[in-house]
Amino acid sequence: MHLKEEAFERMTVHGPFEFSTDAISLGINIKRYLIKPFLKKNLKVHSVYHNVINLESDIGLLSLVTPEIGRMATYVVVSPIEGVDFLTMELKPESKCIVEGNKLIFDKKLSVNFKAAEEWQGILDKGYRWKVEELKEENISALRAALHIYGEKNSAYKRIYENKEKQIIEAVEKLNFKNSKSIISSAVYSLIGLGPGLTPTGDDVLTGVLSVITSCSERKEAEKFIIDGIYENLYRTNYISGNMLINSTRNIYHQYIQELIFAVGSETPEKVMEASKSLMKIGATSGSDIAAGIYIGFVNVLEYF
Amino acid sequence: MVSKTIVKSNAYFDSVTLMKISGDISKLNGVSEVLVGMGTELNKESLKHIGLMSKEGEASNPNDLIIGIKAADEHVLNVALKNIEKLLTNKSRKKEFKEKSYERIEEVVSEKEGYNMAVISVPGIYAAREAKIALNNNMHVFLFSDNVSVEEEIELKDLANSKGLLMMGPDCGTAIINGIPLGFANRVRRGNIGIVGASGTGLQQVTTLIHSLGAGISQAVGTGGRDLSLKVGGRTMLAALEALKEDENTEVVVIISKPPSEKVAKKILKAAIDLNKKVVLCLLDSEKKEGLGENIIQCSNLEETAIKAAELSLNKEVKLEASQEAYSLIKEFETMRKPQQKYVRGIYGGGTLCDEAISIFRNRGIKLYSNITLENKEVLKNIKVSKGNTFLDMGDDYFTKGKPHPMIEPSLRNKRIIQEALDPETAVVLLDVVLGHGSHEDPAGIVAEAAALANIRLIKEGRKVLWIAALIGTDEDPQNYGEQKEKLISAGFIVLQSNVEAAKLAASLVEI
Amino acid sequence: MAIKDLWNESIKVVSLGNQGFANELKSIDVDTIHLHWKPMARGNAELIRALDALSNRKDIEEANEEALRRINTSQAVLIDIQNAIDVIPGMTEDTILHAGPPITWEDMSGPMRGAIIGALIFEGRANDESEAVQLAASGIIKFSPCHEHQAVGPMAGIISPSMPVFIVENKTFGNRAYSTLNEGLGKVLRYGAYSSEVIDRLNWMKAVLAPGLDRALRFSEGIDIKGIIAQALHMGDELHNRNKAGTSLFIRNIMPHLVEARLLSEELEAIVKFINSNDHFFLNLSMAAGKAILDAADGIETSTVVTAMSRNGTEFGIRVSGLKGQWFTGPAQMVKGLLFPGYKEEDCNPDIGDSAITETAGYGGFAMAAAIAIVQFVGGAPKDAMDFSNKMYEITVGESSVFSIPVFDFRGTATAIDVRKVIEKNILPQINTGIAHKDAGIGQVGAGLVNPPWECFAKAIVDLEKKLIK
């Protein structure tokens, strides 16, 4: 009789699950959150895509992704299951996700074992900061060349370059780091929520610009203005993009953004070209737009500091 | 109460599937009896039992499908029948979806019909065997693999000839059959020009130029690189010419060959004359022949060949589009040019195109070095470092040992491109960018990358080089010719459609 | 047909090699099948050539069909029990037969050496281990494979002159096969044990067991071993690693005759208890039956069918019908499976024994799907047992007309291994077998799965080509 009860209990929490897999890596932020044994974790599925499950949590938006998406301090990277993606699993938004022992459990659908997952930190997470006096013109030229050659047709860079998009051009000009708080705030106001897509173009450009500033060894005043502007205008964009911006204000960036910053700050033009290509492959225009923002950020720095 | 019995002949489904369907339909509101089953004795008994036997039902056999329904009214009957159809086609579609995987040519031939072309690119030691199996199963062959022995090649071509089959290769990189690109080939308009050629990139250059001149291709047959050697004797070329002779859609024939041996050349020429059609003969790197008659036009390079062929095909004069950006870029370059910038560096992915550029320089008496020359004085002693005017075939074994060919992986060329551009003695960097099937999805982007990185450094040193690209492709190619051209121009290239033009331009900048 | 016909056809492509070419064609809606092509024969060009020379040959196909026919129509009946020296062809006072292909004393592994020491002590030729070793190494004793004498033996497979052997007759073709009686489990001769306990048991078997069983046999018309194998396959045995049903059926068959034989009651009791306590008693009969069946199919001039697979703990050897008398060898492999508690990989001996004759005859590992419970011993899941058996159909000439697998809709087991198919498809015969401890006399340490080495079949193909291509 005891065996039967035990088995029943085991089944609800421990399976059998329709799908199960292992986590390959845990971003440092997620790791710290999941590992705390006495902290009750409130995790809820926010949205599901082919290769991404977004989770609302006590510490903001976390994501479960497959390896080709790349890594981030807020990502759990899992081994893909053959023949199935997250959409096919029919995980429902609003459904709960339980942390039990070393597993993330999504109802009876999916269990993810993160016991053997390695901890991941990007180069910025580890404390790398680029120095203004070490910044090389040729690296920024390489980034510009990459944007030119590989930027998506409808991406921010192309639109600015071809002089097609007044709003973005104006906003970007206002983002000049020597400007006053009010001018920078209005730039942020124009950019947030600008454009279609899961992460609007304006948000992506802003993320790129901010990433340059927050990862600089010297703090610039403009950083505070931009961050304040973001918090004031979060309502103008969607939940997911808004969370990306919030992460940016905390210097939490995707792996490819970190690698590009590192390449521009400390490596060679060839490395910049490679890192740019990787970043620009993300999303439809997202990657290109973020890269454009990074370019704008560095150009700003060079011009004015 | 209405009832209907249908018999579908030769529609086989397994009994489990059919039972399930019967079960599903019987649950529909208003259906009182249903039988969906093969025409076995047992099922016919059941059909009789539920009162749905008919003449067709009586005559049916186990390969026929019987559908019998008793329903409350017409409407219910039709709904039931529709559902049965849906379930039946779902089942058959599901079977097709799980695409069976085949491991051998023989497996495909034993199960399927109509497969008439084998495209073979397995390693050379196994290639001849597979080609033989294909031929023995009445398939034409496109044999991309090289490292096949001469004896094997001859055996295959003789076998193909005896069966009236086309044996393209070994070492055949390009063909366009019935408008379909095979291997590394471009999407080209259909028309009345039939081409037979021993060189892959040669075929690509001629077909793409013909397309941009407004004419079209009926067939482009690749013979493989060794077809015109003495031993092989032009077997495939002769067979292809014979077939083009009989093709009413081919009015102009183009023959592209590298220098064949005398004996073979004679055979080809005779076949050309026998065609009784207009022939454009492109004998790369060999002298014009005498007394061939007026039907045969001889050309010495690929551009000339394409122009002449297009003119014959369209019956009017044609001209290639000029480059808009050339003039200003050349001027810009000349103003900044340093005295020690004296040389051209050609960095090619296509061997024939590299050869062609070398020919042009040779004919102008310009001294040059190369890694693919047969002339002793032109041999580049240290392949790692260019000297004077140097032409490199990056697809040569030296560079591709253990690595993919630059046409598949163009970034392997980039290091050398940058190296050449940064050499203080380099004035012009000349290269080919090839689009079409088989090529990289963004070859212009990759080359533009190299140019951008080189230019960044050149600016620091206060220098410029002149970038010239022969962009080989058509506006129908998947890479989007227009966009590719734009990328190159933005990176500072003069973009030309013809390699000959590009080489001539380069030569004009370094001739004394 | 002429090339010009192509100009009017619609192009449908079969592509092999670079998948990129196929993808390009599919993207423009050309009907294209890209093959999951692999080179044959592990890519060895010489073997491919040999295979081509040996394919589509009417004489080979007919010879192989004949081999299959002989295997299927053979019978195997236990008719008698006699001493080895009296019935085994070529047996002399100085002969000791062993499992597997020919091997010298120096190359033998632990279990085989131990068994030979035990045999020499049993024969009275030596008093202890050191005398036995001296004698064995002296050159006086002739070592010869059981297989070359119409015999088979499990594990070390040692047959010495005085040992009693089963005689199994192939009633269809008249040939006979011989094997010893199974001693039981644990510390026994075939695992290389030679303690006094072992010798005593051997003596008892010779004095009581063999004659008792022989008396019983005289009251029967022979025991149909092949029939028992066929029934046991429907009872969860595969007759190599699992012999429980076979042993039970044998006991059922012989029991009435044992009673009829009016043996002394202590002897009857001892005999019955002995056989009853050994689940693998039937193994030696199962092997002898396989040998009797396959020997009838040996020596068919142009046949490429395998008539023996066998190991001596150092090498694995196969024999081919069309190349009678020749061995084709390669290194014996390590068996992979489950070990009894307390034993590790380093304790294991390489594959040893003539018991692979069962697979060669179309049961054993080839009937794993009939004995799915075996996965408890060899590891894996039930699905694996079925997959292994299924795969074997690809390398045989045909199927058994007598041995069938219920879960495959009573399909006959894969029978008559064709060397050509093994090489062509790169599928090696699947054997499941016991694992011996590498030190003499410890016994079985586990069970698992193993394959013959590729070299055996590769060498056979090369010789077949030489012989059959004039």
Side-chain angles (χ1 to χ4, degrees):
Chain A
M1 318 132 296
H2 291 294
L3 280 170
K4 247 198 163 136
E5 278 163 16
E6 253 176 49
F8 187 74
E9 198 197 58
R10 255 185 285 133
M11 270 178 62
T12 18
V13 180
H14 297 267
F17 294 99
E18 222 176 308
F19 303 105
S20 56
T21 185
D22 294 313
I24 303 173
S25 93
L26 284 179
I28 185 76
N29 287 33
I30 286 205
K31 173 138 192 215
R32 289 178 184 149
Y33 172 65
L34 289 177
I35 293 301
K36 290 201 165 62
F38 301 111
L39 174 71
K40 180 162 175 24
K41 286 125 198 152
N42 297 304
L43 289 166
K44 208 164 58 155
V45 174
H46 173 269
S47 46
V48 182
Y49 303 91
H50 287 287
N51 295 317
V52 178
I53 303 174
N54 289 318
L55 298 164
E56 288 176 38
S57 79
D58 312 278
I59 59 166
L61 188 73
L62 303 172
S63 306
L64 209 83
V65 303
T66 50
E68 72 278 8
I69 304 288
R71 301 187 176 197
M72 196 163 163
T74 56
Y75 283 0
V76 179
V77 180
V78 303
S79 254
I81 301 172
E82 210 182 307
V84 168
D85 62 33
F86 296 135
L87 276 178
T88 352
M89 289 184 205
E90 294 181 2
L91 294 156
K92 303 225 174 339
E94 296 297 304
S95 61
K96 286 191 90 169
C97 170
I98 308 174
V99 181
E100 180 73 32
N102 287 312
K103 294 207 178 110
L104 288 168
I105 297 176
F106 295 83
D107 204 21
K108 293 238 182 7
K109 300 276 175 66
L110 172 66
S111 97
V112 176
N113 187 332
F114 56 82
K115 181 153 189 222
E118 54 176 28
E119 182 184 295
W120 184 84
Q121 274 188 309
I123 192 150
L124 291 182
D125 301 321
K126 289 189 189 151
Y128 167 79
R129 300 287 179 265
W130 59 273
K131 298 198 173 67
V132 176
E133 59 273 16
E134 287 177 7
L135 194 58
K136 288 188 238 155
E137 167 87 57
E138 59 188 19
N139 285 359
I140 301 181
S141 302
L143 176 51
R144 178 177 55 241
L147 281 166
H148 218 86
I149 299 170
Y150 293 114
E152 284 297 325
K153 254 199 302 243
N154 295 324
S155 65
Y157 179 81
K158 289 284 162 108
R159 283 144 80 184
I160 296 173
Y161 179 74
E162 289 160 19
N163 245 315
K164 281 199 185 137
E165 197 73 31
K166 260 188 111 186
Q167 231 181 330
I168 296 190
I169 294 174
E170 279 174 14
V172 160
E173 277 171 12
K174 286 193 209 157
L175 267 183
N176 181 324
F177 295 166
K178 287 239 152 138
N179 280 344
S180 69
K181 174 176 167 119
S182 63
I183 299 183
I184 290 182
S185 293
S186 86
V188 175
Y189 174 86
S190 320
L191 284 174
I192 292 194
L194 175 66
L198 191 57
T199 51
T201 299
D203 293 15
D204 288 327
V205 170
L206 199 50
T207 298
V209 172
L210 192 54
S211 70
V212 173
I213 307 183
T214 52
S215 59
C216 180
S217 55
E218 294 164 38
R219 307 324 265 174
K220 309 288 175 217
E221 235 193 349
E223 179 181 343
K224 187 166 185 321
F225 302 156
I226 296 179
I227 291 179
D228 285 345
I230 287 176
Y231 281 107
E232 281 159 24
N233 291 291
L234 275 179
Y235 69 94
R236 290 163 62 75
T237 186
N238 65 63
Y239 180 80
I240 290 178
S241 194
N243 266 282
M244 177 186 73
L245 287 165
I246 292 175
N247 279 334
S248 306
T249 64
R250 299 180 187 155
N251 207 14
I252 298 174
Y253 293 102
H254 188 280
Q255 175 187 10
Y256 299 155
I257 296 176
Q258 301 195 36
E259 285 172 2
L260 179 54
I261 304 246
F262 177 63
V264 175
S266 296
E267 295 193 300
T268 63
E270 280 80 7
K271 282 278 175 16
V272 171
M273 187 69 80
E274 263 178 60
S276 308
K277 280 163 84 171
S278 295
L279 177 57
M280 294 199 279
K281 285 207 182 99
I282 295 183
T285 58
S286 249
S288 296
D289 291 338
I290 297 173
I294 294 177
Y295 174 65
I296 291 165
F298 277 116
V299 161
N300 250 304
V301 168
L302 262 195
E303 267 177 47
Y304 298 107
F305 295 106
Chain B
M1 212 27 103
V2 290
S3 48
K4 193 163 187 167
T5 304
I6 306 173
V7 174
K8 291 175 177 254
S9 31
N10 284 321
Y12 178 79
F13 295 88
D14 68 284
S15 53
V16 175
T17 303
L18 294 176
M19 282 197 313
K20 196 160 181 299
I21 294 178
S22 292
D24 287 347
I25 299 299
S26 67
K27 297 200 189 99
L28 288 178
N29 248 336
V31 171
S32 54
E33 299 283 0
V34 60
L35 183 142
V36 184
M38 302 310 293
T40 58
E41 287 310 296
L42 204 62
N43 281 339
K44 290 205 269 194
E45 273 300 320
S46 306
L47 197 66
K48 220 179 280 175
H49 185 75
I50 56 177
L52 286 172
M53 186 48 93
S54 70
K55 224 177 2 153
E56 295 88 343
E58 201 66 75
S60 65
N61 65 57
N63 269 337
D64 300 333
L65 178 66
I66 305 176
I67 303 176
I69 311 184
K70 225 182 238 177
D73 57 37
E74 277 293 319
H75 173 73
V76 174
L77 182 69
N78 287 331
V79 168
L81 284 172
K82 253 217 301 226
N83 276 327
I84 293 176
E85 277 308 319
K86 212 163 74 157
L87 288 168
L88 286 173
T89 42
N90 265 352
K91 293 298 170 192
S92 55
R93 209 177 293 133
K94 236 176 227 157
K95 279 199 179 90
E96 283 167 59
F97 216 49
K98 234 186 159 203
E99 253 180 68
K100 176 161 178 196
S101 78
Y102 296 94
E103 297 184 3
R104 302 280 182 71
I105 296 175
E106 303 96 307
E107 281 174 46
V108 176
V109 169
S110 68
E111 281 188 36
K112 300 207 159 207
E113 277 192 23
Y115 284 86
N116 52 7
M117 177 74 68
V119 170
I120 302 177
S121 53
V122 300
I125 29 170
Y126 312 118
R129 183 176 182 274
E130 298 300 324
K132 195 165 169 190
I133 293 175
L135 291 171
N136 278 326
N137 281 293
N138 296 321
M139 298 173 81
H140 303 271
V141 176
F142 175 86
L143 182 53
F144 180 82
S145 318
D146 58 4
N147 285 323
V148 174
S149 73
V150 176
E151 291 74 30
E152 287 174 316
E153 179 168 355
I154 293 175
E155 194 192 339
L156 287 170
K157 291 185 175 182
D158 283 342
L159 177 57
N161 272 338
S162 72
K163 302 191 108 210
L165 294 167
L166 190 53
M167 178 67 226
M168 295 181 276
D171 193 29
C172 175
T174 305
I176 308 177
I177 305 293
N178 296 351
I180 293 169
L182 298 174
F184 291 90
N186 302 81
R187 297 187 197 169
V188 175
R189 185 185 301 115
R190 294 303 297 277
N192 61 5
I193 304 175
I195 314 183
V196 188
S199 147
T201 35
L203 275 174
Q204 288 191 271
Q205 170 80 107
V206 171
T207 50
T208 53
L209 286 178
I210 285 176
H211 178 97
S212 83
L213 291 167
I217 307 290
S218 57
Q219 308 291 344
V221 178
T223 62
R226 202 170 41 197
D227 190 57
L228 298 174
S229 63
L230 183 56
K231 281 202 180 154
V232 184
R235 282 168 160 84
T236 296
M237 181 163 287
L238 293 169
L241 288 174
E242 181 65 35
L244 287 178
K245 180 174 176 181
E246 319 256 331
D247 179 29
E248 55 198 16
N249 291 320
T250 300
E251 292 172 30
V252 179
V253 175
V254 175
I255 299 176
I256 305 173
S257 84
K258 306 194 219 188
S261 71
E262 261 318 297
K263 262 184 88 178
V264 182
K266 275 208 181 92
K267 280 200 268 183
I268 305 294
L269 290 174
K270 181 166 183 308
I273 297 171
D274 278 346
L275 287 171
N276 283 325
K277 300 190 184 186
K278 298 269 184 216
V279 177
V280 181
L281 186 57
C282 177
L283 295 168
L284 296 165
D285 252 2
S286 56
E287 291 137 22
K288 303 235 163 150
K289 312 279 174 211
E290 298 297 312
L292 293 180
E294 52 173 36
N295 258 354
I296 310 223
I297 300 175
Q298 297 183 59
C299 300
S300 50
N301 65 50
L302 300 166
E303 178 188 294
E304 214 190 323
T305 304
I307 292 177
K308 287 285 187 287
E311 284 180 343
L312 287 170
S313 162
L314 301 170
N315 227 333
K316 64 174 183 177
E317 279 207 13
V318 294
K319 226 170 94 111
L320 282 174
E321 233 179 78
S323 154
Q324 312 281 37
E325 66 280 358
Y327 182 68
S328 52
L329 283 169
I330 295 173
K331 243 184 117 171
E332 229 182 277
F333 167 66
E334 290 289 11
T335 49
M336 286 192 66
R337 185 175 183 171
K338 305 267 183 300
Q340 73 262 40
Q341 287 183 273
K342 292 194 260 187
Y343 300 120
V344 170
R345 299 286 155 80
I347 307 156
Y348 278 87
T352 305
L353 302 172
C354 189
D355 263 332
E356 198 176 46
I358 291 176
S359 286
I360 288 175
F361 272 62
R362 258 195 217 126
N363 289 340
R364 295 188 181 198
I366 305 176
K367 190 162 160 192
L368 65 98
Y369 299 93
S370 170
N371 69 325
I372 55 165
T373 180
L374 298 170
E375 309 248 347
N376 225 344
K377 59 175 179 171
E378 289 173 351
V379 170
L380 182 66
K381 296 264 169 21
N382 180 2
I383 300 187
K384 293 203 180 105
V385 179
S386 301
K387 199 171 112 166
N389 296 307
T390 295
F391 292 87
L392 295 172
D393 173 9
M394 300 296 289
D396 183 64
D397 281 343
Y398 174 84
F399 293 107
T400 57
K401 237 188 311 232
K403 299 192 204 106
H405 195 277
M407 279 192 35
I408 303 175
E409 195 43 77
S411 55
L412 295 170
R413 244 199 321 188
N414 281 7
K415 248 179 104 178
R416 193 60 184 245
I417 293 175
I418 297 176
Q419 176 187 324
E420 301 299 345
L422 294 178
D423 183 343
E425 295 194 323
T426 302
V428 178
V429 176
L430 169 65
L431 42 84
D432 58 344
V433 179
V434 180
L435 308 180
H437 281 213
S439 289
H440 191 271
E441 58 175 356
D442 187 7
I446 303 281
V447 164
E449 235 187 86
L453 289 169
N455 284 339
I456 288 173
R457 295 217 164 78
L458 285 170
I459 289 176
K460 270 169 66 177
E461 300 178 21
R463 217 163 60 241
K464 254 188 189 308
V465 297
L466 187 66
W467 299 94
I468 303 179
L471 180 59
I472 299 176
T474 70
D475 50 19
E476 288 179 23
D477 279 329
Q479 292 90 347
N480 195 325
Y481 194 93
E483 276 180 21
Q484 294 283 287
K485 185 170 173 179
E486 264 313 303
K487 282 197 189 187
L488 289 170
I489 293 178
S490 298
F493 276 86
I494 296 176
V495 180
L496 301 162
Q497 290 173 60
S498 154
N499 182 48
V500 165
E501 250 192 290
K504 283 184 180 168
L505 177 58
S508 69
L509 285 152
V510 297
E511 303 191 273
I512 308 163
Chain C
M1 175 145 58
I3 296 179
K4 65 179 167 114
D5 298 335
L6 179 57
W7 308 148
N8 294 318
E9 284 172 20
S10 111
I11 306 282
K12 285 166 74 159
V13 173
V14 175
S15 144
L16 43 156
N18 178 352
Q19 183 151 20
F21 291 152
N23 292 341
E24 297 273 21
L25 289 167
K26 286 183 187 169
S27 75
I28 51 171
D29 291 327
V30 172
D31 192 338
T32 307
I33 294 182
H34 183 74
L35 300 179
H36 288 115
W37 181 88
K38 285 183 305 271
M40 273 195 343
R42 296 192 180 177
N44 181 318
E46 189 201 350
L47 290 179
I48 296 178
R49 249 194 333 273
L51 270 180
D52 280 342
L54 294 169
S55 57
N56 294 326
R57 291 269 309 250
K58 196 147 167 269
D59 51 352
I60 297 180
E61 312 301 336
E62 282 175 358
N64 288 349
E65 289 295 331
E66 173 63 13
L68 177 65
R69 187 194 70 81
R70 290 193 195 177
I71 292 172
N72 273 336
T73 54
S74 282
Q75 294 174 286
V77 181
L78 172 62
I79 55 169
D80 202 356
I81 301 176
Q82 295 293 333
N83 288 332
I85 185 81
D86 295 328
V87 290
I88 295 186
M91 195 77 179
T92 72
E93 288 296 343
D94 290 329
T95 310
I96 289 197
L97 303 180
H98 61 80
I103 186 170
T104 59
W105 171 254
E106 290 71 37
D107 288 337
M108 289 181 188
S109 58
M112 191 171 278
R113 286 196 181 205
I116 289 172
I117 293 169
L120 290 171
I121 297 176
F122 166 73
E123 292 288 333
R125 302 286 295 266
N127 288 315
D128 57 34
E129 180 191 323
S130 57
E131 279 183 30
V133 168
Q134 224 179 7
L135 178 57
S138 67
I140 297 175
I141 302 296
K142 313 256 175 302
F143 299 112
S144 189
C146 291
H147 267 293
E148 292 180 12
H149 300 264
Q150 294 171 216
V152 279
M155 288 294 146
I158 299 303
I159 306 181
S160 64
S162 310
M163 289 184 186
V165 293
F166 285 126
I167 305 175
V168 173
E169 184 172 278
N170 184 338
K171 293 245 181 236
T172 319
F173 296 99
N175 60 303
R176 294 179 174 186
Y178 310 92
S179 73
T180 50
L181 283 66
N182 195 293
E183 313 153 73
L185 307 164
K187 298 196 185 342
V188 289
L189 189 79
R190 72 175 182 283
Y191 282 104
Y194 49 84
S195 64
S196 52
E197 187 196 330
V198 173
I199 308 298
D200 288 344
R201 187 186 305 113
L202 286 172
N203 280 318
W204 175 81
M205 286 168 72
K206 184 181 167 74
V208 178
L209 177 67
L213 282 174
D214 190 35
R215 275 273 287 278
L217 270 179
R218 295 198 188 287
F219 285 89
S220 75
E221 281 161 12
I223 311 278
D224 181 3
I225 305 299
K226 186 172 179 182
I228 292 181
I229 295 174
Q231 290 171 65
L233 284 173
H234 289 182
M235 292 167 68
D237 271 7
E238 31 76 280
L239 290 319
H240 181 162
N241 250 343
R242 275 182 70 97
N243 291 286
K244 210 169 193 150
T247 302
S248 304
L249 286 170
F250 175 76
I251 293 175
R252 195 175 144 182
N253 265 274
I254 197 96
M255 191 58 69
H257 304 304
L258 272 172
V259 171
E260 269 182 281
R262 299 279 183 272
L263 303 169
L264 295 174
S265 55
E266 313 88 74
E267 288 188 359
L268 177 60
E269 189 182 325
I271 290 173
V272 168
K273 281 189 172 156
F274 181 82
I275 304 179
N276 236 13
S277 65
N278 179 7
D279 278 346
H280 287 286
F281 188 78
F282 189 73
L283 174 62
N284 296 38
L285 287 165
S286 158
M287 289 170 58
K291 177 66 173 168
I293 291 170
L294 285 161
D295 268 358
D298 198 25
I300 302 175
E301 273 315 303
T302 55
S303 169
T304 57
V305 168
V306 176
T307 50
M309 292 198 291
S310 178
R311 333 65 125 205
N312 58 29
T314 311
E315 283 200 303
F316 195 116
I318 68 169
R319 283 151 78 88
V320 177
S321 182
L323 296 169
K324 191 175 165 113
Q326 282 180 261
W327 284 99
F328 300 96
T329 60
Q333 307 290 293
M334 297 306 289
V335 180
K336 291 200 176 42
L338 296 176
L339 296 176
F340 299 156
Y343 293 108
K344 296 184 249 57
E345 258 184 62
E346 310 88 81
D347 299 327
C348 301
N349 201 65
D351 200 18
I352 185 172
D354 285 329
S355 55
I357 194 73
T358 55
E359 278 80 15
T360 318
Y363 41 102
F366 280 44
M368 240 192 288
I372 296 185
I374 206 161
V375 299
Q376 294 175 310
F377 299 110
V378 305
K383 184 172 185 299
D384 300 325
M386 305 220 280
D387 287 344
F388 282 132
S389 298
N390 239 330
K391 240 186 153 73
M392 295 301 102
Y393 290 102
E394 298 199 48
I395 55 171
T396 57
V397 175
E399 300 174 8
S400 173
S401 56
V402 175
F403 305 133
S404 65
I405 300 180
V407 80
F408 286 169
D409 281 348
F410 296 97
R411 186 177 182 186
T413 60
T415 300
I417 301 168
D418 185 342
V419 180
R420 300 175 301 167
K421 292 188 182 178
V422 171
I423 296 287
E424 181 194 331
K425 305 195 185 188
N426 191 15
I427 297 174
L428 293 166
Q430 189 61 57
I431 300 169
N432 68 14
T433 186
I435 307 175
H437 197 286
K438 69 178 196 286
D439 295 334
I442 300 194
Q444 187 177 2
V445 298
L449 297 163
V450 76
N451 303 101
W454 171 262
E455 292 95 310
C456 298
F457 301 91
K459 289 180 190 172
I461 283 285
V462 169
D463 272 18
L464 279 167
E465 193 215 351
K466 281 204 203 107
K467 177 183 175 192
L468 297 179
I469 307 303
K470 307 296 189 280

